[in-house]
Amino acid sequence: MKAAVVQENRKLILADIDKPSITHPDDVLVKVKYSGVCGSDIPRVFHHGTHFYPIVLGHEFCGIVEDFGENVTEINKGDYVVCAPLLPCFHCPECEKGFYSLCKNYSFIGSRCNGANAEYVKMNKANAVKVSPDSVALHNTFIEPITVGLHAIHLAEGCENKNVIIIGAGTIGLLAAQAAKALGAKTVSIIDINPDKLNLAKELGVDFVFNSAELDAEQIYQQFEPYRFDQLLLETAGVPQTVELAIQISGPKAQVALIGTLHNDLNLNQKVFGLILRRELCILGSWMNYSKPWPGEEWNQAVNLVQQGKIQFEPLIASINHLEDFIEEVKRLDGNAMNGKIMLKFD
């Protein structure tokens, strides 16, 4: 089968590799329809971020079940599925409590084993999340990144009647904003430094947008004066400045959910740290996107939001490509962040 293979660091190639076969009674073989590039894939391609070489990346995807092992009774051939890419051990103390994201003995599709940037992918039945055959395969590919924001919302015990503030208008932030609107948030705001992304946020139905390159933290805080209570802030950008900003603009008793992964040290001065105490902020760390019962309410919500047409996807897509063009699109990133989702399509 054809696949996009990371042969070595900064070397993404088109290759013919063996089609996966059923070797375990819990195996499911899926013919891939669409696969999307995640921001976490970029360091895997360009910055020595893989566990091994060669590897096929891809954990955001939708496909059709072609075959499965004898223990698989939950799905049938021809079913449409998406992937919950984490495979916890289900036996460690964290897993027994339902803290699957915290499992130390996990595997992961497209990271610790081959993923879906290929014509076929094999997974454990626990990774396969069934979706409606009437749903749109391209849209279903976004279910996994939708659950990232929903996990933070789940940890905050929901967003209904809350003033939700999202820092970072990337794919995760814009999906989270639309999900929060659909789940009953009182207001949804987005903060970013990119005017084009802020304009897109408005088009997607966000109530308020703020450019943090033009307004300082105090000015943004004052803008939220009428909405200072019942706040839930989602930090999705993953840079020290935006984490600090999240604390500075939070209202009394706000929940601050940290989603973005930092790649540089965070240093809070005494005054900013004091705001956590003086405003009695609740700081939530959000890691991955799973809860009990497996894979979690986040996944049920995401599937339903997509099926009900509550989220717009086309404005978030940079390009849809077959394998050869897909590889060239990824290479052109040269290690930089995407400006919109790069999608791989198989006919």
Side-chain angles (χ1 to χ4, degrees):
M1 68 173 183
K2 295 186 183 300
V5 177
V6 184
Q7 191 73 28
E8 58 187 66
N9 190 57
R10 300 184 68 86
K11 188 175 182 180
L12 181 65
I13 64 169
L14 175 63
D16 282 309
I17 63 175
D18 291 338
K19 178 181 174 180
S21 58
I22 301 299
T23 57
H24 188 278
D26 289 343
D27 283 345
V28 177
L29 180 66
V30 174
K31 182 177 175 60
V32 180
K33 293 282 288 181
Y34 290 94
S35 180
V37 177
C38 175
S40 66
D41 289 329
I42 295 172
R44 293 179 180 126
V45 176
F46 295 99
H47 305 305
H48 300 280
T50 67
H51 292 280
F52 57 88
Y53 297 107
I55 186 171
V56 178
L57 303 178
H59 62 267
E60 302 176 4
F61 64 91
C62 178
I64 302 173
V65 175
E66 184 169 286
D67 198 6
F68 46 77
E70 61 185 18
N71 286 354
V72 181
T73 59
E74 302 88 344
I75 54 179
N76 300 301
K77 292 181 180 180
D79 282 348
Y80 275 69
V81 294
V82 298
C83 179
L86 180 77
L87 183 62
C89 71
F90 293 110
H91 301 300
C92 68
E94 284 80 2
C95 284
E96 288 178 351
K97 288 182 176 294
F99 304 157
Y100 303 115
S101 295
L102 310 185
C103 176
K104 302 296 191 298
N105 309 307
Y106 67 90
S107 184
F108 198 93
I109 302 290
S111 170
R112 295 171 185 258
C113 60
N114 278 345
N117 292 343
E119 293 180 279
Y120 292 88
V121 63
K122 183 174 72 172
M123 68 184 82
N124 187 284
K125 66 178 184 177
N127 296 118
V129 178
K130 193 172 174 180
V131 294
S132 170
D134 299 326
S135 55
V136 180
L138 176 63
H139 297 173
N140 288 332
T141 306
F142 285 84
I143 285 175
E144 195 277 342
I146 292 171
T147 62
V148 173
L150 289 178
H151 183 60
I153 291 172
H154 175 80
L155 293 172
E157 300 183 340
C159 64
E160 188 174 2
N161 293 321
K162 293 180 182 178
N163 294 304
V164 176
I165 303 167
I166 297 168
I167 303 178
T171 300
I172 296 296
L174 292 172
L175 290 172
Q178 294 184 78
K181 289 283 287 187
L183 295 174
K186 188 184 300 181
T187 65
V188 176
S189 304
I190 280 195
I191 300 170
D192 203 279
I193 60 173
N194 186 320
D196 292 334
K197 289 183 177 181
L198 293 175
N199 287 332
L200 175 56
K202 289 181 190 176
E203 293 172 12
L204 296 174
V206 168
D207 297 298
F208 308 108
V209 298
F210 302 98
N211 191 325
S212 54
E214 299 174 354
L215 300 172
D216 63 26
E218 181 59 29
Q219 289 172 315
I220 296 174
Y221 178 74
Q222 293 299 326
Q223 292 288 330
F224 285 120
E225 177 66 21
Y227 314 99
R228 67 187 184 279
F229 296 112
D230 302 312
Q231 285 184 349
L232 168 60
L233 290 90
L234 307 181
E235 195 291 316
T236 70
V239 295
Q241 296 92 327
T242 53
V243 174
E244 183 174 349
L245 180 64
I247 295 168
Q248 291 173 310
I249 67 174
S250 295
K253 299 278 188 179
Q255 297 169 297
V256 181
L258 304 178
I259 299 174
T261 301
L262 293 184
H263 299 286
N264 294 290
D265 289 342
L266 170 67
N267 298 296
L268 298 179
N269 64 39
Q270 178 182 347
K271 183 177 179 181
V272 174
F273 178 80
L275 294 176
I276 300 174
L277 311 183
R278 292 176 180 275
R279 294 178 184 166
E280 296 192 345
L281 304 182
C282 176
I283 308 295
L284 298 169
S286 183
W287 186 244
M288 290 199 275
N289 39 353
Y290 307 92
S291 61
K292 191 176 182 179
W294 174 263
E297 180 58 26
E298 303 93 321
W299 290 83
N300 296 329
Q301 285 180 328
V303 169
N304 289 336
L305 288 172
V306 173
Q307 180 69 19
Q308 295 165 9
K310 299 290 188 180
I311 297 180
Q312 299 180 59
F313 299 102
E314 277 71 14
L316 307 180
I317 298 172
S319 63
I320 303 173
N321 317 272
H322 291 96
L323 258 172
E324 293 86 350
D325 292 334
F326 170 81
I327 289 171
E328 292 307 312
E329 284 282 311
V330 175
K331 284 181 177 178
R332 275 194 285 271
L333 293 174
D334 196 30
N336 298 309
M338 292 179 290
N339 185 20
K341 185 72 71 174
I342 297 174
M343 305 295 295
L344 171 59
K345 177 182 180 179
F346 293 96
D347 292 325

